[in-house]
Amino acid sequence: MRFDAIVAGLGPAGATAARVLASAGLNVLALDKARFPRYKSCGGCVSTKIERILDFDIKSVVEDSIYGATFTYRSGRKMDIMSDRVVGYNVMRDRFDHYLVSKAKDAGVRIIEGFRVAGIKDNGGSVTVTGADGESYTGSFLVGADGASGFTGREYFKLDPKKAAVSITAEVPYDRGKRDFTGRLFIDFGSVPYGYGWIFPKERFLSVGIAGDAEKNGGRIKETFNDFASSHFALEGLKAERRLGWTVPTFYDGAGPSVKGRVLLTGDTGHLVDPFLGEGIYYAIRTAHAAADVIIERWRSGSADLAPYQAWLEKEIYPEFKAAEKLSGLVYNHQRLWYSIIEKDPEIMRRFYNVIRGEETSAEFYGWVYGKVKSKPWKLLRRWIDSRFLPA
Ligand SMILES: Cc1cc2nc3c(=O)[nH]c(=O)nc-3n(C[C@H](O)[C@H](O)[C@H](O)COP(=O)(O)OP(=O)(O)OC[C@H]3O[C@@H](n4cnc5c(N)ncnc54)[C@H](O)[C@@H]3O)c2cc1C
């Protein structure tokens, strides 16, 4: 049997692409190596801009609504920067992803779990996907949505797995009645070379993690995690056990197009992750939507040309990621200075919350911050000097 579309991977990208395609009347097969619900190493904070692209409610799987964060510098110099409007939603990825998969099922997607994609062949007029056990399926189009370690991006598109941040996470059980962290995240600058540490509170767990540039964190990532987890006040008396390492395949210049014949890449497998925060859930869902829309249009018109998806990425997504990359350079190369600046001017972070909400672009924000920094060089210099004498 030939499918109109095959989707490799059923995380947020795959579940979304499959659902949108099936809802438009295509005969869709979705394959995932895992069985749902499955764990995914993640902070699990979904920005509110998700509401602009989902036509259903995710409230049933939201464990907390976030209004801001308690920031620290190397676990000290604690500072709350809250907003009166919600910025994001904390979810546990096993529940959230399972919910999205159930939506795909409801839309009529045929789902095969426990199927690891191990081969892709473009036959000219169709694509054949082969599993690790040799079983194969053929479709008119293939959506690559198989995540950071997926076959489609790494093997078929030859994207560079080293262009990624490294991370360690742990889910730490806690008693919400005894530690009321409702409505906030914890973000730490200064502990992780070219990266940051976080604690994202959920109903039963604190998702604790660090992520940073692979090269700059070298072989010290475990020690960095231990130092962070043992020094942060929110984790006092708790043990961050059962740690997991994972990569965050951030966007990089020179990755090449995300379209090859009848195959396209969405989400993590295509390195479509914001390089400043490592935010990927929204981008997985957004790129999956756009990919599905192009396939639907092509399926209706009888064409196989997926180039409009690449054009969309270049117009809508790459400029944002390029601005986020610049922001990373500014913040992560000068974490102590950055922290002093936001201590003196917390409005900067409140304005950044607008970027997370999708009300302002990263490019606009970067331009604004950079202008601020450039226009007051003497003030900045003083803050920089101050920052050197404040306790590290
Ligand atoms: C430590 C960490 C913290 C993060 N925190 C956040 C956060 O707070 N907020 C945020 O927005 N983003 C965060 N991210 C990024 C986010 O997790 C990803 O961007 C997001 O999961 C991407 O969704 P996806 O559907 O592309 O891939 P995934 O969610 O990884 O899903 C891919 C699916 O493909 C399947 N698969 C893999 N290989 C194969 C194969 N060969 N064949 C078949 N199936 C396969 C997997 O089983 C999986 O179900 C974080 C990432 C990490 C590592």
Side-chain angles (χ1 to χ4, degrees), residues 370-388:
Y370 190 68
K372 224 173 156 59
V373 167
K374 248 177 62 182
S375 68
K376 292 181 185 155
W378 59 271
K379 262 195 175 171
L380 261 180
L381 189 64
R382 212 177 58 208
R383 282 176 198 174
W384 170 237
I385 292 165
D386 280 355
S387 76
R388 304 201 74 113

Side-chain angles (χ1 to χ4, degrees), residues 9-14 31-34 36 38 40-45 93 97 115-117 145-147 150-151 167 169 198 200 246-248 267-268 273 278-281 284:
L10 269 168
L31 309 162
D32 199 295
K33 68 176 184 183
F36 288 81
R38 58 101 177 89
K40 161 79 176 80
S41 177
C42 189
C45 186
R93 288 291 302 276
D97 290 17
F115 186 105
R116 179 192 290 270
V117 173
D146 40 350
F151 182 89
S167 72
T169 55
W198 71 84
F200 291 178
W246 210 283
T247 56
V248 188
D268 275 20
V273 179
E279 177 181 8
I281 300 170

Side-chain angles (χ1 to χ4, degrees), residues 124-369:
S126 64
V127 190
T128 298
V129 174
T130 306
D133 62 0
E135 202 174 337
S136 62
Y137 296 95
T138 297
S140 299
F141 298 99
L142 172 65
V143 178
D146 40 350
S149 61
F151 182 89
T152 322
R154 278 194 187 186
E155 303 295 333
Y156 194 66
F157 280 74
K158 304 284 179 221
L159 296 190
D160 186 352
K162 291 198 208 85
K163 302 277 189 197
V166 287
S167 72
I168 294 200
T169 55
E171 306 297 342
V172 181
Y174 81 120
D175 182 344
R176 211 177 190 179
K178 291 197 179 128
R179 289 171 208 245
D180 185 9
F181 297 149
T182 310
R184 73 186 57 234
L185 306 176
F186 297 93
I187 306 273
D188 185 77
F189 290 108
S191 305
V192 186
Y194 212 89
Y196 66 102
W198 71 84
I199 301 166
F200 291 178
K202 316 287 172 66
E203 276 168 13
R204 294 190 302 118
F205 298 97
L206 298 172
S207 297
V208 181
I210 60 165
D213 179 81
E215 230 168 73
K216 293 189 173 68
N217 281 275
R220 275 197 48 82
I221 185 90
K222 283 186 191 149
E223 287 85 344
T224 307
F225 179 88
N226 289 344
D227 290 348
F228 170 61
S230 60
S231 61
H232 199 283
F233 72 92
L235 296 173
E236 208 180 326
L238 300 175
K239 280 207 175 80
E241 291 167 336
R242 296 179 58 209
R243 296 147 202 194
L244 264 181
W246 210 283
T247 56
V248 188
T250 42
F251 169 79
Y252 67 98
D253 243 346
S258 293
V259 171
K260 203 186 210 179
R262 292 171 172 265
V263 186
L264 42 69
L265 298 177
T266 60
D268 275 20
T269 199
H271 285 246
L272 296 164
V273 179
D274 159 80
F276 178 51
L277 291 180
E279 177 181 8
I281 300 170
Y282 166 77
Y283 290 102
I285 292 176
R286 183 149 177 229
T287 55
H289 253 287
D293 286 347
V294 169
I295 291 176
I296 292 163
E297 198 277 313
R298 298 285 117 161
W299 174 73
R300 285 185 180 141
S301 65
S303 157
D305 179 15
L306 298 179
Y309 175 62
Q310 183 61 30
W312 176 85
L313 285 174
E314 283 167 18
K315 180 165 178 277
E316 301 290 336
I317 302 295
Y318 295 175
E320 272 302 272
F321 285 175
K322 284 179 183 169
E325 226 167 18
K326 285 188 190 168
L327 201 54
S328 300
L330 186 75
V331 172
Y332 299 137
N333 279 325
H334 312 282
Q335 297 197 44
R336 196 205 290 239
L337 174 61
W338 172 252
Y339 202 77
S340 299
I341 292 172
I342 61 170
E343 266 177 335
K344 299 257 167 39
D345 194 352
E347 254 344 282
I348 293 178
M349 281 317 299
R350 281 202 193 90
R351 182 146 173 188
F352 184 68
Y353 294 165
N354 292 339
V355 177
I356 301 178
R357 292 189 190 101
E359 294 164 356
E360 190 173 345
T361 65
S362 292
E364 285 161 348
F365 178 76
Y366 177 77
W368 176 75
V369 170

